[in-house]
Structure formats: C-alpha cells, structure tokens
Amino acid sequence: MPPPFPSRAEIEADQLEQLRALVTELFPANAFYTRKLEDCGVTFDVASLADFSRRFPFTTKAELVADQAAHPPFGSNLTYPLAAYTRFHQTSGTTGAPLRWLDTPESWAWLRELWTRVFTAAGVTAADRVCFAFSFGPFLGFWMAFESAQQLGCLCLPTGGMSSAARLRLLLDNGVTTLCCTPTYALRLGEVAREEGLDLGRSRVRRILVAGEPGGSLPAVRARIESLWPDARVRDHHGMTEVGPVTYECPAQPGVLHVMESGHYAEVIAPATGQPVSPGETGELVLTPLGRVASPVLRYRTGDLVRPAAVRAACVCGTHELALAGGILGRTDDMVIVRGVNVHPAAVEEILRAAGGVAEYQVTVTTRGPLAELALAIEPAADAGDATALARKIGGALETALGLRIPVHTVAAGSLPRFELKARRWHRAGK
Amino acid sequence: MPPPFPSRAEIEADQLEQLRALVTELFPANAFYTRKLEDCGVTFDVASLADFSRRFPFTTKAELVADQAAHPPFGSNLTYPLAAYTRFHQTSGTTGAPLRWLDTPESWAWLRELWTRVFTAAGVTAADRVCFAFSFGPFLGFWMAFESAQQLGCLCLPTGGMSSAARLRLLLDNGVTTLCCTPTYALRLGEVAREEGLDLGRSRVRRILVAGEPGGSLPAVRARIESLWPDARVRDHHGMTEVGPVTYECPAQPGVLHVMESGHYAEVIAPATGQPVSPGETGELVLTPLGRVASPVLRYRTGDLVRPAAVRAACVCGTHELALAGGILGRTDDMVIVRGVNVHPAAVEEILRAAGGVAEYQVTVTTRGPLAELALAIEPAADAGDATALARKIGGALETALGLRIPVHTVAAGSLPRFELKARRWHRAGK
C-alpha cells in the first residue's frame, strides 16, 4: 500500500524544518544571500513559515543577472566552493540575459527526486520506454527527466540532434510508450508524421509528458495533441532552471497542476503589491526550493501567473498539496494590453487551438508609445480546407473571446518557423 | 602514492577470473550465445585465456545485425529480461545496418568506470571544466564520457543542439579547460573561431579529448588541431558501441594507445586467417569486454587495424597493458586498392593534414569491376594562398607517399559538408 498523503500540518512542519536547515546553511557560506539579507537587516532565524514570508525579501531574476555580471561568469550565489559543482546549465534568455546555473551532485540529486514524482504521478514505471525529443543542450529542459527515468529503471532513448522524421521512426521501431517534449514539439511531430505518411496509430505511445510552455494545461492544445497521437494522454509538468521541477499534473483532474510542496515552499502574491492573494484569485507564484542548498533562491519571483484552488482541502486525487487550476495561466512579463484588454499569449493559443485548422502561427505586437496592437499570421493545417474562411473563423473566435478585432492573414504551408524548445511566436515590432 | 601497475601475470589472472564469471553468467540466460556456442559444440568452461581463444568462435557485426533482424527490435543477445535495461543506443550505421544496443545500470556503470581511466590518464580532475561538443543523440559517442566526468566531479557543460559559434562563446565565457569532441569537429571549431574573429589564445582549453575517428593518433591531424588551439594538447581515445571504451592515450608517448586490459581481453589476428599475428605486425583487434554482462560480445571482430608493440614489456609510462603504436591504423572494411596499392583513409588524411592548407576535403572512389580509382576535392583553408598551387602540392604529396597519381581539384570555401560526429568524406561512385 502506498503511504498516506501527508496532511497540511505535516507538509508545513516538514517545510519549516527544511527551510531552517537551508537558511542556516547559507550563512556565511553563500556570499550573495549573506550580503543581500544583511543589507536589509534580516536575521537568519526562521520562527515560522509566516515569519519567513513576512521578513525575508523576494529574489528576482534581475538581481541574479546583475550578480553574474558583477561576478562573472557564475555569480556569487554559490554556497560551496566552485570545485564542488558538476552541472552547468543556462536559461534560454527568452526574457533578457541568460542566467548560468550550477549544481553540485547533492543539489542535482535532490532535483532528480522531484522529477521522479512527476513520472510516478503520470504512471511511468520501469516497464516504460521513454523517448526524449529534445536537444540535450545547456538548457535544463528534460535533462533531469532523463536521469529520473534512468533511476526509475525505464529504457531511455535520447534523440538529441535527430530530425523529426528520424525521431518518429526510432519511436515507432522501438516501441516507445512515453514521449517527453514541449507541447509545440508534440504537435510538430504529429504534423511530420502526416507529411511522412507514418501512422501514429501503430505507435505504442500512451502518454506525452510535456513541459517548457503553458500548452500542456490548455484544453484545446491537449485535445489537438491527443488527436494527432491516438491512445496517448497528455500529462503536463512545469519547472524552471532557477527552481527546478515544481509541479505535476493531478492524476484525477486533467489541467490541474499540483505544486510539489515536499520540495518547494510556495506563495502566491499580487505582482504589484507583493502581498498574498486570496485563494481562488490569480497571482504570481513565488517559490523557495527547500533542498537545492548549493544553488538556492529564497522567495523567487517566478513570473508565472497561477490561480490556487479556492478551498485548500484535500484534492480528489488525495494530496493536500497546492492545486493550480488551469496550470500556468501566463507570465507577468508577457501580457500585452491591447485597447485596454489584457491579452495573455496562452489565451491566444487556447483560442487558436480550439478553433482548429492551424498548423502554426505567429503574432506581431506593434507598440506606439503606451498603445499595443496585435496581428496574426496563420499557417493552415493540411486538413484545414479554405484558407480565407479559416482566417475569418479565427478572427471571429478572437473577437468573441477577447472583444478585440485582430487582423488575421494566412501564409503558405511550412513558411513559419517550427520549434523544438520553447516556441517564440510573439514578436515585437516598432516602438 | 598511486597503486603500482599490475604485472602481465596479474593482468591475465584477473582477466581469466572475469572471463569465467562472464561466460558462466551467459548460460542459459543469454539466448544468442547459448544458441551460438551450442551450435558449434563449445562447452562453457574456460581453462585458460589461450583455451578461450582456441575454442570459442568469433562474433561478427553481421551476426548481430542478422539476430536483430530475426528478433526485432533488440535481438536475442540480452542476458537479462528486457525490463532490466535502461540505456538505448545505436551505431551510426557507417558500415551497413545500424545495431541497437541496450545496457542495464550495472553494465553501464562498468563502462563508465573504464571511461574514468581515459580521463585520469589525460590528467583530468574535479577542478576541470569539461565541454561536450556533441549532440547527445542515440549514438553512444561521448555519453559515457559525460557521466564519467560527472562522477569525477568535473563541471560539465553539455552543448547538444548548439551552433559551433555558440559553443565557442560558451567555452570561452565559462573558462572551459577540457574539450571532448571528434578530431574533425575540433578542426571545425578552430575554423569557425577564425571566421567569427574569436581568439582561441584567450581560451583556457588545455586538452582536447578526441574519439570517434582515427585522427587523434595521426601526427599531422594532432599538429593541425594543436595549431588552432594554442596551449591545448590532443589526447586520443577509442571505443565502439558494441564493446565500449577500449583505449586511452599513453601519457608518455603521444600517438600510442593502451588497451584497458582491466576491462577487455584483447587479441590481434590476421583478418584473413583468424590466427594471431606476431607482436609488431598489423592485424585486426578482437575484443571481449569482460564486465558488460548484460550486453556481451565474445571475441568481437572490431574491424580496427592495429599494430601491437613488438616487445610486450612495461611501457615507459609504467603500464604493462597492450600498446598500439599509431593508434587505430584503419579499418579492415574501408581499405581501397588502387592500381595494386592499399590505400587507407587514415593515410590519406595524414598526408593532407601534413601538407597543410586544407580546410576540408572529399574523396570519390570510382570502382569499375575490381578496379578502383580515387579523386580528391579540396577546400583551401583561409590562409592557404594560391588554390592551384595547393592542389598541385597535395597531388605531389599523395604521389610521394602512395606512389599514385590522384586527381586533385579545389572547390569554393564552405562548399564541402562539415561534420560533428564521424566524418563521411569517402564516397563511392559508379560500379
């Protein structure tokens, strides 16, 4: 029998214990946090989780970037001597300068254990054959997933540097049961299978574990992926380089992400005030990974917008961990205000995928002073039919959902860029 | 003080013990070897290493390919149930159908330990920052090197999916001390650095660990790499998917490879007769990896041509392990006979690199019945000067070394393919 789910009180007692051990370890070993906290007169004791939230300052990405610029190349947020670190990663730099991130074997092992929870929640066992369709570069991406799957005893098939067609053949020929990739790339593989005449109906893929983009929790994106991959179910996950793996998808409620509170102390705040939001309200996720002592962040402003469940009772799946309805709803830094309407890229994606018929798209944001305007280029799917009608339909769907008229035009098949890592579909033009 | 080097008697006693354990484990668990050895009436006891060489049959790649075709997808050469395997790799298929190769965590760990010997022989320690310039695909390539470096405590920088220019910047910005790549790709990176105006003089790279091609033991290839990378020394290594890591470069004699006889029982045979060659003579390397029980090969015909040292005494570096002068001299299956002259691709590479001025090249082999002719296309390096003079010089060098007139023509800069994995410079035309 599996162990019972810990209660809220047990979760929080464990978090407090881990947090105290973490904070103690940082002083005076970690130059960045020693300086930062001394500068604002914070003492290193933690009376309670509430005390921590009240007294300790946030950490922002901008601070870490500035620290790495001042102390190149790795910055001063290192708790141990440089020689203790074995893993190098860096962020993709989608929101400014890339951050370098180092881990020791201990910090890395701690992160890997969290990823193992993502796999087990998705039902992955040692009997599974797991294909990793990503490039194994310096982005943290699925590196940890790869090692977790090894640890779980899965047969792991790395496919760095391969073409999409070659990946599909490898996946079909070797009876892959689980695919790990971004939501965009799961769509792309489905599209290439059609182009190549490969029948995904004969694939043994039963689950597609997606991360790196909000798509995995958007119902229309899930539905589109699942229509291309018969018998496969999408399982979402989210994490980031600075904090590691954060959530897994609720086994009972598709599109709900649970924060792994065994590893993270989580807060949800109003971005403008920094004050906690009420349950059921949307806010920014703030995380303190509790066991990544070598490369810590305390109260990290993730920039991810989430909506915690209104009632913090046990979930139907049994866990008492924080539930985020709809997954990651967007980012504080990518919202565009168009004629007074807050437009989130994830909302546009959801509207497009629900309308159907779109293989790929690109959004151009033109800003003149404080005013922003959007325009959409749409690449019709092979089975989309009349292109003009499709553009009209998408325009109508956007108007219905957002109350905005947004110009939509179609472009030739294959003319828009495809993505293996995070998709970059939003472009800013002019000033 | 490091442990003393084992004597020949100690090496061979240890090999016999490991070999007996291996052979015992294969019966009846491993269907492929149980069938193969029963078919030729071999009993599973091993009286001595000589007895093993005398009685046990060779294993060839063709047999393994046929076995995987008969028992798709993974063949019957598996000692344990499929669920025990966690690593999937496949050969690059340069010599026919690709082979799939699975490992269990135990077999993989055994291989990783061998790679650790390659690093320590090259002087790599936990203080090193090691950049892996390869694509982390299904080819075994440097995967094991990556994990060995982790285990040694090096800071590891994976660069799958990156452009050569981005890899160079990452390597310079992060103070990389050790680069792992193919010899061809080390040349390519040097070439790109010049194109991009990046000064490798400010790189901290002190050693370049090469594998995957014979180049690392060819003096002219080494010299060319070392001229592009000031302060770096080339260290060769060789291995293959089917047998794992095999050799490390002698710390005392550049261009000499030592077989890691702690892990491999090695024989050198005349390809035509299968009989052992005398020390100092060139023959085919036959290997039995002693600890990869889950995915074994017994007396595997590697196809690699080597020349063991004439006298099997202790090397000047101290080891009593087999020394291969000049590294891998070529392959039994890629030699071309031109007007009665045996031409090995490695010999052509060495002649070209020694002549200098060549950025990239391509060889076309035209065969009419039993007769083969060669033609060379040469892409001059940026600093090569007059192209016609270069082609004449190369033609002269080939004639001097091989006694053959081979047509050489120059092509435009950047027009020949570049390679990250094994280079494919020899093409066969016609019949």
Side-chain angles (χ1 to χ4, degrees), chain A residues 145-346:
Chain A
F146 182 79
E147 296 196 8
S148 287
Q150 283 284 305
Q151 196 166 301
L152 276 171
C154 305
L155 183 63
C156 296
L157 298 86
T159 66
M162 295 180 92
S163 71
S164 297
R167 283 173 171 161
L168 283 164
R169 290 207 179 83
L170 180 135
L171 180 153
L172 291 169
D173 291 349
N174 295 291
V176 163
T177 62
T178 300
L179 171 62
C180 289
C181 61
T182 63
T184 298
Y185 196 65
L187 293 172
R188 174 66 185 152
L189 282 175
E191 195 179 76
V192 172
R194 287 188 177 183
E195 285 164 18
E196 300 277 322
L198 296 170
D199 178 13
L200 293 186
R202 73 176 179 93
S203 114
R204 290 173 52 195
V205 174
R206 294 294 167 266
R207 62 182 84 70
I208 304 180
L209 247 154
V210 298
E213 296 170 328
S217 291
L218 301 176
V221 175
R222 297 173 73 95
R224 173 88 184 140
I225 295 172
E226 289 171 359
S227 78
L228 289 164
W229 292 87
D231 307 320
R233 191 176 144 193
V234 171
R235 295 293 203 141
D236 199 13
H237 156 70
H238 110 277
M240 61 202 300
T241 304
E242 303 93 304
V243 297
V246 181
T247 58
Y248 63 90
E249 186 175 306
C250 176
Q253 299 182 86
V256 169
L257 293 180
H258 287 299
V259 174
M260 297 187 275
E261 292 186 274
S262 59
H264 292 280
Y265 174 58
E267 302 166 78
V268 183
I269 61 160
T273 65
Q275 292 306 306
V277 299
S278 307
E281 281 178 16
T282 298
E284 180 180 355
L285 187 61
V286 170
L287 292 171
T288 302
L290 296 166
R292 203 181 188 182
V293 182
S295 326
V297 281
L298 302 181
R299 303 193 79 210
Y300 190 65
R301 302 234 358 198
T302 65
D304 286 326
L305 293 172
V306 297
R307 192 169 58 244
V311 182
R312 213 157 166 176
C315 178
V316 290
C317 75
T319 188
H320 292 264
E321 290 175 309
L322 188 55
L324 306 176
I328 305 302
L329 305 173
R331 302 218 9 109
T332 54
D333 45 14
D334 66 10
M335 188 186 73
V336 176
I337 305 177
V338 181
R339 285 166 264 157
V341 179
N342 294 355
V343 182
H344 291 284

Side-chain angles (χ1 to χ4, degrees), chain A residues 2-146:
Chain A
F5 292 97
S7 67
R8 277 304 314 162
E10 286 166 334
I11 289 172
E12 288 169 16
D14 174 56
Q15 287 181 322
L16 181 59
E17 192 180 333
Q18 288 193 67
L19 189 57
R20 281 172 168 160
L22 170 66
V23 168
T24 304
E25 192 76 6
L26 300 191
F27 308 97
N30 185 299
F32 176 82
Y33 274 108
T34 300
R35 200 166 46 231
K36 178 175 163 72
L37 298 190
E38 284 180 349
D39 281 357
C40 52
V42 168
T43 55
F44 310 139
D45 53 318
V46 178
S48 65
L49 296 175
D51 172 59
F52 175 72
S53 291
R54 199 162 43 235
R55 289 196 301 118
F56 280 63
F58 294 120
T59 302
T60 66
K61 183 167 178 188
E63 274 177 283
L64 298 171
V65 168
D67 176 60
Q68 294 199 348
H71 307 279
F74 305 122
S76 65
N77 187 20
L78 299 167
T79 309
Y80 304 113
L82 202 49
Y85 292 77
T86 60
R87 300 286 315 206
F88 169 97
H89 294 282
Q90 61 187 24
T91 61
S92 49
T94 40
T95 56
L99 266 180
R100 302 185 170 103
W101 214 265
L102 306 187
D103 281 289
T104 60
E106 295 73 25
S107 281
W108 187 259
W110 179 82
L111 295 167
R112 197 172 52 214
E113 292 302 328
L114 283 186
W115 236 104
T116 304
R117 291 196 60 196
V118 179
F119 275 125
T120 51
V124 174
T125 71
D128 279 291
R129 299 184 194 166
V130 189
C131 176
F132 296 83
F134 95 111
S135 62
F136 290 90
F139 309 136
L140 198 69
F142 288 101
W143 266 113
M144 254 173 307
F146 182 79

Side-chain angles (χ1 to χ4, degrees), chain B residues 28-70:
Chain B
N30 184 298
F32 176 83
Y33 273 108
T34 300
R35 198 166 49 233
K36 179 177 163 71
L37 298 189
E38 284 179 351
D39 282 356
C40 53
V42 169
T43 54
F44 309 141
D45 53 315
V46 177
S48 65
L49 296 176
D51 172 60
F52 175 72
S53 291
R54 198 163 44 236
R55 287 195 303 118
F56 279 63
F58 294 120
T59 303
T60 65
K61 183 169 179 185
E63 275 177 282
L64 298 171
V65 167
D67 176 60
Q68 294 199 349

